[in-house]
Amino acid sequence: MKRSVIMEQSQNLALSRLFENVFSLRPKSFEEYNRMVGSAAQRFLEPFGAVSADFTVSVPSNLPFPENVPGSGTLFGSQKRSISSLRLQYFFDRGGLIVFTIGFEDGKTLSADERSAVNAAFGCFSRILEDVITANTYKKLTMVDPVTKMATMNALMQFVGMLTATGRASDYTAFFFNIKNFKSIHKSLSYIEGTALLIKYCRTVADALARNEMIARLGGDNFAVLVLDEHRDYFIDLVQNVVVKFQKDDRMLSFVFGATVGVCKLTDEANPGDVMMHITTAYQAARENHAVMSYYDKKTGIEIMERKIILSKFYKAISRNEFFVMYQPKVDLKTRTLGGAEALVRWKHGEGFIMPGRFISVLEKDGCICALDFYMLDRVCVLQKKLIDEGIKPVKISVNFSKRHLSNNKLVEEIIEVIDRNDVPHELIEIELTESEDYHDQGVMKDIVNELNALGVKTSIDDFGTGYSSLGMLNLLQLDELKIDKSFIPKSLDDEKSKCMIMLRGVVNLAKDLGLKIVAEGVETPEQLAVIEKLGCDMVQGYIFDKPLTEDDFIGRINRRVYEGV
């Protein structure tokens, strides 16, 4: 048999065996690649007279951590032994390329068929190397932040797990913090400058930590840190006074950053997931309470979890009409007749009820309260239209609107759209607004009240006296009605000289002089009713006349408007 035929059969067998084995190669590191692929390449190339195989790698600049990819490697042998060489070049799918150099002795050259076989084999080797690069890059990406080169949350959680496993977790305190005002400063810089400033900040904090402590970037300007208890106070002071010097153009700028911080003391049983939840919960508590720092405790955790549950259920509850209206009658004191009502929200969830005290403040903080207010307005308008269609004379019903709406420059337009969509006369709706201490808000509120008044919609201030600038609000706004908070209502006439009575008398007289109707809310006893009547209030809202009524009971009350025996 001719030598060429024998060689061809040998090469085909080698190639066949290579392809059988190559798909079982699963190197996890570059060292394993050199060893496993090097062995396979040497066996494959032996029939071709090859004595060495090397490679060089060029990776794209946009690959995370390109510095971790080796620029070259040796599969087997040494180029010093070779006399001639073959270069094979392969481009990676994600950019970059690998160049293999195969060395031969005795000036060996390959035929076209041999070169084709070698090319096919090394095409497989290049694909395996690309997979190793990708796997190692993104493995590190889960552990190291590509921008700041700080640890990631995954790395921090592994560290917590290691501390727990070795019985050292109770020596540590965990922190979650957000850099104060970093976003506003970042906006004044270019993207590159802002990133450089963030990196300098991270380096400053990291350099202040001990070797067995860790800082992790969670995203944006949010970080988590594990600090030994003996360094806890030092770190608390540090994070509130991080000084970063930064070169911008020809100027040296100096920034001093503080932080909003959540803190949690670790225990020997620290669970990584729980640690992250606890420091996040403490941070949220600090932020919501406008505090610099908050420590985690079980009560805080329960409150935060409660808020999350409420918010997760809210929009589904709206779509399912789980919210409904209860109507608290307002009674004209002179005639003892029904003169109006306030719409109060209730939430029926499953077999029970979620009380307003549990969800109103949560929705207020989150901003969801705005959607609920419009839902309530629509429900009230539906009832008013129903009464009109049935030939029943309605009374004016007030709907509470949060000060959260003041940022909506289309608020009046949207209120009128709901009323008109239900074909309800404007005078049958009253909007109750909440006092605000913000001067800008007061200016916006003035415009809203004036626009609503011009369109025939009544307005009032809810819970007068509990806000920050009640007298200023009265001077600023052209209101129709003033509701006095129940905290101002004395228990009896015996409190004639009490501060409460003096203040109430002053408020009532002031409201009368301004031409406002006065509604006293929370009146529950005959003694309180006597006080209110003596002072000359116009209307009363409270259990002395009626508790909040369901829609059917309220319609019944409209049909018998006179309160007898009170």
Side-chain angles (χ1 to χ4, degrees), residues 197-270:
L197 180 62
L198 180 64
I199 292 171
K200 276 206 164 189
Y201 176 93
C202 293
R203 193 71 269 157
T204 301
V205 176
D207 288 346
L209 300 179
R211 285 186 59 189
N212 49 352
E213 298 173 338
M214 179 182 286
I215 178 173
R217 185 187 182 212
L218 308 181
D221 52 2
N222 296 316
F223 297 85
V225 178
L226 285 173
V227 174
L228 286 164
D229 289 344
E230 61 201 74
H231 301 151
R232 178 175 54 207
D233 292 342
Y234 166 75
F235 180 77
I236 289 172
D237 291 338
L238 167 73
V239 80
Q240 297 300 344
N241 189 41
V242 178
V243 179
V244 181
K245 295 187 181 298
F246 183 75
Q247 184 79 35
K248 179 176 172 59
D249 300 326
D250 58 346
R251 294 179 298 154
M252 178 61 73
L253 304 178
S254 182
F255 298 99
V256 181
F257 293 104
T260 302
V261 188
V263 189
C264 172
K265 175 72 181 74
L266 269 60
T267 65
D268 284 333
E269 297 78 27

